[in-house]
Amino acid sequence: MKKVITYGSFDLFHEGHYNLLKNAKALGDYLIVGVTTEQYDETRGKLNIVNTLTERIENVKKTGFVDEIIIEDHLGQKVEDIQKMDVDIFAVGSDWEGKFDYLTDYCQVVYLPRTKNISTKMLRQAGHPIIRLGIIGTGRIATRFASEAHYVSGVVLNSVFNPNKASAEAFAAKFSTLSFTNDFEAFLHDVDAVYIASPHGTHYEYAKKALEHKKHVLSEKPLVFFKKDAIELYELAKANKCVLLEALKTAYCSGFNQLLGIARSGMIGSIRDVEATFTRLIDGNGREKSDAVFGGGWTEYGSYTLLPIIKLMGKDFEDVQFSSILADNGVDLYTKAYFKYKNGLALAKTGVGVKSEGQLVIAGTKGYILVPSPWWLTKEFEVHYEDPTKIDRYTATFLGQGFRYELSEFVYLINGYGERSYKFTAGDSIAMADIMERFMAHRKAFLEKYHQ
């Protein structure tokens, strides 16, 4: 008798799960399914589990394909189960391609094709819809996002759009769950929500069209470059009862929110200064240095550095001034933004051609908080006081590259919890667009003076 084993959360059971179990059963004579506990899902980075373990087990049973169900509750259990139960084949969805090759020492490993174009059939459990998500854009950020999407329960990647059909097809080939198209209307027809990962200058138009079609929108930062555009999009989202969220992953991770809580707690007294730096040395041919309109250090990384400033110092600054080092094509290689508040100061530094220490410092009247580079992937920070021997150290979990946090928040809001949104609000996003607009005006004036 040939034994097959597979594992999963099987949360919000849908046709993709059904087909996976059906295909796994077809590989042998006896199918064993390991259903993960919620606690184990959390340790492996799976977010937003909705159904109870009992409900998930029952949904697996109902398929009729399963001969035995076991519970997976710890790391390393797969090797134990395969050996103990004398398993011949380990099967898993192709979105995990290569991740379980280490099990070939114990049995055959088969990566099963995942279901494309999830339909509306079998998509509603416990009042929560499975969200069919489409990706706009096929660059580096889209690839990294798609690689983490399966860690978030309640959402499935459905399709990818690119005006260049060949690019869309090549991207879809990397992720077997995706269909592809260069027809934007057809793309929107088959999704409930979109993730915009296209070049910066296209975000506004894609977001507007998607919202007009009553699709939820998660857009890479910066959402837009002008305050009026941000206001328009958020009003359109509200009118069409859609979620519009800017994909600034730092804002949604637990470590950064713990940091904000401690900063606001009074431990360092009243906050008087925030200094945030984010720089990377970019290859000369990269979009960040070649796009004379939307490229540069500030448009690329300014959203990150603005986040702690807006969250801790507020939106009501009295003045902001920019100083930049520009390339010949007008792209800012390095920018400093100086903020003046009624009772404080702030400094944001970004760069694509100058490298600086990428730390975050929050200064108060009783002490300061130091977050080492890369602070935007908040994993640890220290609270320092006047007494140099007194240092409080904090650590936090930051899973993967952080994309699962923004997607998890997006799903959370779509499922009806918009009124509880606080991690990154429409007001925060509009304030950033206002500052982006001021920077664009600064750069334009600087270039005009430079070329006189």
Side-chain angles (χ1 to χ4, degrees), residues 135-273:
I135 297 179
I136 300 172
T138 55
R140 292 170 299 172
I141 198 86
T143 300
R144 291 158 61 197
F145 177 90
S147 298
E148 278 199 46
H150 57 247
Y151 285 102
V152 180
S153 183
V155 63
V156 292
L157 293 185
N158 208 58
S159 56
V160 61
F161 165 83
N162 192 306
N164 183 326
K165 191 173 184 179
S167 294
E169 183 176 11
F171 185 91
K174 300 176 187 176
F175 303 97
S176 59
T177 57
L178 292 174
S179 61
F180 63 90
T181 183
N182 62 346
D183 183 331
F184 197 63
E185 291 289 330
F187 167 77
L188 290 176
H189 181 267
D190 290 331
V191 300
D192 306 304
V194 301
Y195 167 63
I196 301 175
S198 53
H200 292 165
T202 66
H203 292 179
Y204 167 75
E205 288 296 337
Y206 282 135
K208 184 176 180 179
K209 288 179 182 177
L211 291 170
E212 287 173 343
H213 283 73
K214 298 186 177 181
K215 308 298 180 180
H216 304 290
V217 173
L218 175 65
S219 174
E220 267 305 321
K221 48 75 193 164
L223 172 62
V224 291
F225 291 91
F226 300 96
K227 182 178 180 179
K228 66 176 180 60
D229 291 342
I231 293 173
E232 177 191 358
L233 291 180
Y234 279 102
E235 288 181 347
L236 179 58
K238 184 177 181 179
N240 286 344
K241 297 180 180 180
C242 292
V243 171
L244 172 60
L245 190 67
E246 194 162 357
L248 189 54
K249 60 187 178 185
T250 307
Y252 311 110
C253 74
S254 58
F256 183 75
N257 282 281
Q258 180 187 18
L259 165 69
L260 293 181
I262 288 175
R264 293 165 174 158
S265 71
M267 290 178 64
I268 62 170
S270 299
I271 299 170
R272 293 290 181 255
D273 184 40

Side-chain angles (χ1 to χ4, degrees), residues 45-50 131 133 145 148-155 218 243 245 247 249 252-254 399 402-417 423:
K46 184 81 172 182
L47 307 177
N48 280 11
I49 297 297
V50 174
I131 300 157
L133 183 68
F145 177 90
E148 278 199 46
H150 57 247
Y151 285 102
V152 180
S153 183
V155 63
L218 175 65
V243 171
L245 190 67
K249 60 187 178 185
Y252 311 110
C253 74
S254 58
L399 299 166
F403 295 98
R404 68 192 71 181
Y405 296 114
E406 62 194 29
L407 181 55
S408 175
E409 180 75 3
F410 188 49
V411 172
Y412 177 81
L413 297 178
I414 291 173
N415 284 336
Y417 301 103
K423 293 179 181 177

Side-chain angles (χ1 to χ4, degrees), residues 13 140 162 178 195 262-263 281 337 379 395 404 425 434 440:
F13 199 87
R140 292 170 299 172
N162 192 306
L178 292 174
Y195 167 63
I262 288 175
L281 297 179
K379 298 178 181 179
T395 59
R404 68 192 71 181
T425 67
D434 176 38
M440 300 294 275

Side-chain angles (χ1 to χ4, degrees), residues 10-14 17-18 21 51 59-60 63 122 125:
F10 301 103
D11 189 42
L12 298 170
F13 199 87
H14 57 76
H17 296 138
Y18 182 90
L21 295 178
N51 293 143
N59 286 331
V60 169
T63 65
M122 299 173 65
Q125 291 281 340

Side-chain angles (χ1 to χ4, degrees), residues 350-367:
T350 62
V352 293
V354 176
K355 187 66 178 174
S356 184
E357 175 60 39
Q359 64 184 16
L360 169 64
V361 180
I362 303 165
T365 55
K366 294 181 180 179

